[in-house]
Amino acid sequence: YSWSVRPVLGGVEVADSFAHPLSAPAALPVNPSTRQYTPVPIQPTPDGALKVGFCWVGDLDGDGEYDFVIIRHNHLVADSREFLEGYKRDGTLLWRMNMGPNSTNHYHIEPGSSTLGNGHGDNATVYDMDGDGKAEVIVRTANGVVFGNGATLVAANNSSQFISIINGETGVEMARDPVPNPYLADGPLNGHMGILYLDGQRPSVFLEAKNRRADNGFQGLTTAWDYRNGVISRRWSWDADTLRQHAPEGHQVRLGDPDNDGKDEFLDIGYGIDDNGQQLFNIPEVVHGDRFHLADIDPDRPGLETYLIQQNNGSGLATALIEAGTGKFIKKWYAGGVVDVGRGLAADIDPAHKGLEMFSTQANIYNSKGDAIHSS
């Protein structure tokens, strides 16, 4: 048997002019072994066969095939350093970065200044930032990091951090900019990284990161950078603490265009940041929750919706459905007391109902309108 993928436009199969010119034909061998995965061999690190943490995909060498960037670590061993590695799909090691002595602190809330993939903080991502067909690696770095060519980052102290643009094919640092941290006295920042099209045309990278005060309170900021013509420059930095704006957070972020202006926005569980770096909205009744989901949950409503869960909300709010672009409540579910809703999800699990369904560790499954369709 043989299979092929062809583009269809207007219901008519057309010649494939979209494929990468360097892509080799894909073929399934006769009587292949039955497996639903592709094994990618990886090499031992200088510290042995460390575990694989986070993984990103991107075309690092421009040959039309996805490659892999992985974190190698062993958080069960105190003072063990981390490595960031780039691999081709066949297991060829392209480069390795030693994240250095500041990657040995594995505290999941406020780890070392160059620790990656700890707690909910990834602190790295992979994307073709300059449109040359090869993906760059964007990573938070600090004093003592050794890049793929052996060059070492030297900083004035061990808490200052940087955003480094790494050549995805060689591991060489191509550009660097400091991570703003007005709370440096309380330590380095740990958080999420991702890609936004803030001008609607070209990619920007953001870092939402925090540290912790001695009283266990959190503080931090979200910063966006552009990488243009080999230069990284800060686009904006937004700080809820300095601005004294309500900004409830979850353990992940969502990216999209909820206000339908052709530019991406940054969304957390109870607030959003517009493409210009100003707060788009915040929801006073929403506090921290572990999960939230952004999608066109209800196809009958214009725009996108967000389904969220709550942890120890003093109002008793357990879950909610909101307008993603405004934060306006569409539906609220109360628990009758203060509860910690551990998990929740929006997904199309029932084809008998239009749109997505919503459910959590609270009772019932709801349709896209918020009506209970299954009891539990």
Side-chain angles (χ1 to χ4, degrees):
Y1 298 93
S2 64
W3 292 265
S4 62
V5 177
R6 304 286 178 84
V8 176
L9 298 177
V12 178
E13 184 178 301
V14 299
D16 187 3
S17 61
F18 305 93
H20 194 291
L22 298 180
S23 295
L28 185 67
V30 176
N31 297 323
S33 57
T34 301
R35 64 187 185 198
Q36 297 185 17
Y37 62 91
T38 299
V40 179
I42 56 177
Q43 299 182 18
T45 73
D47 293 354
L50 299 182
K51 297 178 180 179
V52 175
F54 287 53
C55 175
W56 297 265
V57 296
D59 186 0
L60 301 179
D61 57 3
D63 67 354
E65 294 184 351
Y66 273 141
D67 307 302
F68 303 91
V69 175
I70 60 175
I71 297 171
R72 306 290 299 280
H73 59 207
N74 186 354
H75 290 172
L76 298 179
V77 176
D79 298 329
S80 62
R81 58 185 176 174
E82 295 186 334
F83 298 88
L84 189 69
E85 298 175 335
Y87 281 91
K88 288 180 64 64
R89 192 173 67 175
D90 63 2
T92 299
L93 177 63
L94 293 173
W95 49 265
R96 172 181 289 137
M97 283 176 55
N98 175 357
M99 297 311 295
N102 287 305
S103 68
T104 61
N105 176 356
H106 304 149
Y107 177 39
H108 70 281
I109 294 178
E110 190 176 287
S113 55
S114 60
T115 302
L116 305 176
N118 206 322
H120 72 205
D122 48 24
N123 301 296
T125 193
V126 175
Y127 203 79
D128 184 0
M129 298 295 294
D130 55 11
D132 65 352
K134 298 181 180 182
E136 284 73 44
V137 178
I138 308 97
V139 58
R140 186 206 60 186
T141 53
N143 189 42
V145 168
V146 182
F147 300 103
N149 62 342
T152 300
L153 193 159
V154 178
N157 59 69
N158 288 324
S159 293
S160 294
Q161 295 166 301
F162 307 88
I163 292 295
S164 292
I165 305 294
I166 308 299
N167 185 302
E169 191 170 14
T170 66
V172 172
E173 184 188 37
M174 300 188 296
R176 181 195 307 168
D177 195 58
V179 173
N181 183 0
Y183 312 106
L184 191 62
D186 291 313
L189 301 173
N190 176 47
H192 310 277
M193 194 177 287
I195 300 297
L196 293 161
Y197 280 73
L198 293 171
D199 64 1
Q201 299 178 0
R202 295 171 295 181
S204 301
V205 63
F206 77 88
L207 174 69
E208 182 209 38
K210 285 191 168 291
N211 63 13
R212 203 170 197 177
R213 300 188 302 265
D215 64 2
N216 288 330
F218 291 97
Q219 57 198 2
L221 64 168
T222 300
T223 305
W225 288 266
D226 296 331
Y227 179 62
R228 311 279 189 260
N229 301 316
V231 177
I232 183 172
S233 59
R234 194 182 311 166
R235 176 177 278 263
W236 48 253
S237 193
W238 181 84
D239 181 356
D241 299 280
T242 299
L243 297 173
R244 299 187 181 279
Q245 292 178 327
H246 183 61
E249 298 170 323
H251 286 300
Q252 68 283 130
V253 295
R254 305 296 181 200
L255 314 172
D257 183 14
D259 61 359
N260 197 32
D261 65 352
K263 302 174 184 179
D264 283 341
E265 279 74 43
F266 169 97
L267 298 179
D268 212 315
I269 196 166
Y271 74 98
I273 302 178
D274 207 349
D275 54 86
N276 60 6
Q278 302 298 312
Q279 193 175 65
L280 183 66
F281 67 85
N282 71 69
I283 311 173
E285 191 178 356
V286 170
V287 299
H288 174 75
D290 282 359
R291 298 291 182 270
F292 73 104
H293 298 272
L294 169 72
D296 188 7
I297 295 173
D298 183 357
D300 293 332
R301 291 184 62 90
L304 304 175
E305 294 81 37
T306 296
Y307 175 67
L308 61 89
I309 65 176
Q310 291 287 272
Q311 178 177 319
N312 301 331
N313 190 315
S315 73
L317 182 67
T319 61
L321 178 65
I322 66 170
E323 291 182 355
T326 66
K328 178 182 177 181
F329 283 109
I330 300 170
K331 192 97 173 187
K332 296 191 281 187
W333 293 270
Y334 290 91
V338 177
V339 296
D340 181 354
V341 183
R343 293 293 181 266
L345 184 66
D348 187 8
I349 61 172
D350 190 339
H353 296 270
K354 189 176 182 180
L356 306 187
E357 287 72 52
M358 299 166 286
F359 59 96
S360 71
T361 51
Q362 296 292 101
N364 302 329
I365 297 174
Y366 299 90
N367 64 14
S368 62
K369 309 295 185 185
D371 302 321
I373 56 175
H374 300 287
S375 61
S376 60

